[in-house]
């Protein structure tokens, strides 16, 4: 694997899932693999799980880790080509990417959506520029449109907890008063389209995700109907794709409660975290026996380790 | 030792002091002990000595270290149970603790007092929640009410410099214009109550610490009288416990000078740092032969190493 | 080598350059040298290249690395002696330096010029205080007046790319709308004065650097004339030394373009980065075959490794 930016970079999903499960059983089995190699983790935005789990996974593989909060520790980066740089950005990504690529063997990047300019967000300029100029493998630690390390952890979690050959997985929109990116929802759909599942997506009207991501997923606007017989309920809030970045509804009836879960086939609840309790999901669900959110977050370490291992194998 | 939150967690003080002194003589003697284990250090507040000395001690023991400035790098954490999270906190401590506990084998936390709500501060909610939900040993890097790594370093320092079997130790309040927490003073009293010392506490009226911490310590409101015959003078400012978080006095006559030190029995001066020169303590004392502040700070490394070693032994 | 604060600390320049080139060919050849030693990197200001390249170099030598953004992670530091500390600085450098020096075997520091008080800036108080009180080797990660790790990387780069025994090197001022320090320009002159080069310095009137740094360098106020026959063009903006910290001109005709480069003898372009494209230097130069800015930045790793190696050898 050369980069890990989206599902398209994955040569073999089931092999990658297996690699994650193997890492979980034996975290230090490949400790020599990353020896004398360095991963740089660049955060343009806040991060807890991704920050810690990726560092941990890298260290499990023997990699050195250098973490940098880009805006805070370094310089504002200009992403546009050809501009006169007389504003507040002191450095161009062309230089920053090439320079960091000369120090680091792998670069991980987190850079969220602006939610103000859909076309620009969906072009993923930061990642494209780093891919073009850094000259080393780039790992997506959540971009404007995708969060593949999360999606891989989700696949591992579903693999571990599924009771049927082809479980029904329902991605449901949850209420929130702030506009959030579509990245996790997009990415989840993208990966589920290639997994052995029946994918249903449910949300209020106006919250349709880009069809490029929904793919074969069935869209049902009635949450109760969508949840019927679900094996996994995957909750997430996102802002509107059509009316880009807008909050069109924060209808509390979309919150996941035990009543909602009772519509499923003894379904498990998943969410990428962080989440706001009693706004998106009720305490009773999160603290009850059907929640997988902690197991899912714990699997972030093994997802990162599987992805990094595949990248390291590709560098030999 | 399962956790290191207060003196109550310490099975044997003199053994812990000895362990610190052994580490100081041979820092890398237990380098295999932490192999393939990771400590996460979470800072809700600023830190210099604790930040660096704990990292150093952990590395001496072969631990991997992941540092995180919680508010800055991650998400605001909700500590209350059962609330509707529609404010500025994006994540609940229940999830954060469990998730970080799934990546890290030990978690160190610094979280200062608010100084606005005494009952809440003294409940130590952050630490109690992490202890409850993280599932791994928790180390106190200074909480609202205690700073046990400092107190252990203080014990090591007194052990190294004492000239009598049972020295007289005077904890004296120092003037400051800002409200500071009671944590260091509380913790010092708590530990001194179990050490072979005669403890005297001196401060202006209104600055009495909680009796739970003062214990057998003798309170004398006249600083000059308290200092008579002291072997160790331990300076610290704190805000009022009774009139919680208030600055009732910043009387400059409480500043430690050579004149004040001359009342002691050739006493040594100690302070946890940082400190404001010529407001709390005069240059002449800090730059003179009786100051132990640097030796004391240096011992933070060996205190942390002793505590971490004890935690690691408890994990086997 | 005891410290690495300026050229004066370097015992043998050509040996240091060679050491950098050897490290580049065999980065891990001295991996045992730093074992069980720790370098603390203290940043009072932003940093990208220095931050990452110095961490990388230290890890190549087997050192443990502790990074701290001083103002952000710790306490404001008072640098003046004898003051009453009743302002916003909670800790004195005397304590901070001694304490950090007790935890770390080497300390690297970045602290920029204020550009408001020339005398104070040029005294380099932060570095002098750390040198005086830390008791361990201090490395300059860019001070108010110098950036020796950059200058060493520049020397390595010129050594690698020179086609003549004694190349002509032109340091040219570049336009910028903000006041920048003189550190990189000063330091470059200081090192070039001891290298096998012909040094020319060109800038608008009023931008003369301190004669202590320019040394044997020839000052020419006409950029076109200065560039004639140049083998290396080293671009940099700096604010006025005479009218301290002022921007006297941002004349766009001083920007480096292909036309300007055509005046040279097939000259190479160098710049320490970050730089603002199309204000200081045109895209056509940076993206063309004569730019060395990425190679130069990549050499920061080997410069840091050579300096750290020399410091480690001096500690035996």
């Amino acid at each position: 694997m050369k980069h890990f930016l989206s599902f398209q970079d994955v040569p073999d999903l089931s092999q990658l899932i297996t690699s994650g499960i193997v890492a979980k059983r034996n975290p230090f089995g490949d400790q020599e693999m990353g020896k004398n190699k360095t991963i740089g983790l660049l955060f343009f935005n806040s991060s807890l799980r991704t920050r810690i789990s990726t560092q941990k996974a890298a260290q499990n593989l023997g990699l050195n880790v250098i973490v940098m909060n880009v805006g805070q520790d370094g310089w504002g980066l200009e992403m546009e080509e050809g501009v006169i740089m007389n504003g507040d950005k002191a450095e161009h990504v062309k230089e920053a990417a090439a320079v960091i690529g000369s120090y680091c063997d792998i670069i991980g990047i987190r850079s969220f959506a602006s939610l103000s300019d859909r076309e620009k967000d969906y072009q993923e300029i930061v990642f494209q520029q780093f891919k073009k100029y850094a000259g080393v493998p780039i790992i997506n630690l959540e971009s404007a449109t995708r969060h593949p390390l999360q999606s891989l952890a989700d696949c591992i979690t579903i693999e571990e907890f599924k009771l049927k050959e082809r479980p029904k997985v329902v991605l449901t929109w949850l209420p929130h008063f702030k506009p959030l990116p579509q990245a996790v929802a997009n990415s989840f759909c993208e990966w589920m389209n290639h997994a052995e599942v029946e994918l249903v997506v449910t949300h209020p009207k106006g919250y349709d995700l880009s069809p490029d991501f929904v793919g074969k997923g069935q869209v049902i606007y009635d949450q109760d109907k969508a949840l019927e017989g679900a094996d996994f309920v995957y909750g997430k809030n996102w802002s509107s794709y059509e009316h880009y970045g807008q909050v069109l509804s924060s209808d509390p009836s979309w919150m996941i409660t035990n009543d909602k879960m009772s519509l499923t086939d003894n379904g498990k609840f998943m969410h990428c975290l962080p989440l706001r309790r009693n706004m998106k999901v009720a305490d009773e669900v999160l603290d009850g026996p059907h929640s997988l959110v902690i197991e899912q977050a714990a699997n972030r370490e093994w997802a990162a380790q599987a992805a990094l291992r595949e990248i390291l194998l590709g560098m030999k």
Side-chain angles (χ1 to χ4, degrees), chain A:
Chain A
M1 195 161 69
K2 197 157 163 30
H3 298 280
F4 186 71
L5 296 176
S6 78
F7 186 84
Q8 274 111 71
D9 293 313
V10 176
D12 182 340
L13 175 57
S14 74
Q15 184 272 326
L16 203 59
I17 292 171
T18 303
S19 169
I21 291 169
V22 167
K24 188 172 186 168
R25 285 188 198 135
N26 182 22
F28 308 109
D30 291 312
Q31 214 164 18
E32 290 300 304
M33 200 178 262
K35 213 191 155 204
N36 289 337
K37 289 199 166 57
T38 295
I39 185 167
L41 302 179
L42 309 182
F43 291 94
F44 289 84
N45 305 95
S46 293
S47 173
L48 185 149
R49 272 151 291 279
T50 301
R51 183 184 293 271
I52 305 185
S53 66
T54 311
Q55 283 187 66
K56 185 76 187 311
Q59 289 172 342
N60 291 347
L61 290 164
L63 283 159
N64 289 322
V65 182
I66 293 176
V67 178
M68 189 168 161
N69 293 321
V70 182
Q72 205 166 297
D73 297 346
W75 314 99
L77 292 189
E78 176 62 57
M79 298 292 167
E80 303 290 331
E81 306 253 353
V83 296
I84 299 172
M85 289 172 60
N86 54 7
D88 59 347
K89 313 282 180 59
E91 175 144 34
H92 200 282
V93 68
K94 280 191 188 188
E95 273 77 52
V99 167
I100 298 171
S102 75
Y103 305 141
C104 298
D105 301 281
I106 306 172
I107 300 175
I109 302 170
R110 162 161 289 197
S111 177
F112 287 173
S114 69
L115 294 181
S116 61
D117 182 334
R118 185 171 92 178
E119 203 187 334
K120 235 182 201 172
D121 280 353
Y122 274 66
Q123 278 170 10
E124 299 280 18
I125 298 175
V126 181
F127 289 83
Q128 292 314 314
Q129 296 282 55
F130 266 88
K131 190 175 168 181
K132 194 167 165 189
Y133 294 113
V136 299
I138 306 297
I139 298 203
N140 184 340
L141 307 176
E142 189 171 341
S143 70
T145 65
R146 287 176 176 94
H147 195 352
L149 285 174
Q150 180 64 55
S151 304
L152 176 53
D154 299 338
C155 289
I156 292 171
T157 309
I158 290 172
E159 181 64 28
E160 288 180 321
F161 287 91
K162 73 179 184 189
L163 300 170
K164 294 176 193 157
E165 198 61 27
R166 189 177 152 79
K168 178 176 174 183
V169 174
V170 179
L171 168 64
T172 178
W173 180 92
L174 303 176
H176 200 304
F177 64 98
K178 286 171 90 175
L180 299 192
Q182 293 112 30
V184 169
N186 282 345
S187 204
F188 185 71
C189 287
E190 187 171 53
W191 287 64
M192 285 300 117
N193 263 278
H194 295 87
E196 276 299 303
V197 304
E198 180 200 343
L199 175 65
V200 171
V201 183
T202 183
H203 49 72
K205 290 202 175 161
Y207 276 104
D208 294 76
L209 295 164
S210 160
D212 294 347
F213 289 100
V214 175
K216 298 176 294 184
Q218 189 193 350
V219 178
I220 300 177
Y221 297 106
D222 178 336
Q223 192 189 40
D224 286 2
K225 205 177 148 210
L227 292 174
E228 269 171 30
D231 297 293
F232 295 91
V233 178
Y234 194 98
K236 184 76 191 81
N237 170 270
W238 59 88
S239 58
S240 176
Y241 174 72
E242 198 190 335
H243 303 282
Y244 192 65
Q246 290 184 33
V247 174
L248 307 177
S249 159
S250 51
D251 181 355
S253 75
W254 282 76
M255 181 169 82
I256 295 296
T257 58
N258 275 350
D259 277 355
K260 294 279 183 181
M261 290 304 290
S262 71
L263 301 171
T264 69
D265 183 12
N266 206 21
K268 298 289 186 188
F269 179 75
M270 298 175 70
H271 190 288
C272 66
L273 305 181
L275 74 71
R276 288 163 177 271
R277 283 172 168 254
N278 304 315
M279 194 174 79
K280 294 163 94 178
V281 189
D283 277 346
E284 61 189 16
V285 175
L286 290 165
D287 298 331
H290 297 300
S291 171
L292 293 181
V293 300
I294 302 303
E295 290 82 351
Q296 189 185 351
N299 279 335
R300 292 292 309 276
E301 180 175 347
W302 318 115
Q305 191 159 334
L308 287 172
R309 187 178 176 279
E310 198 67 25
I311 292 283
L312 285 168
L313 287 172
M315 290 167 72
K316 289 281 164 73

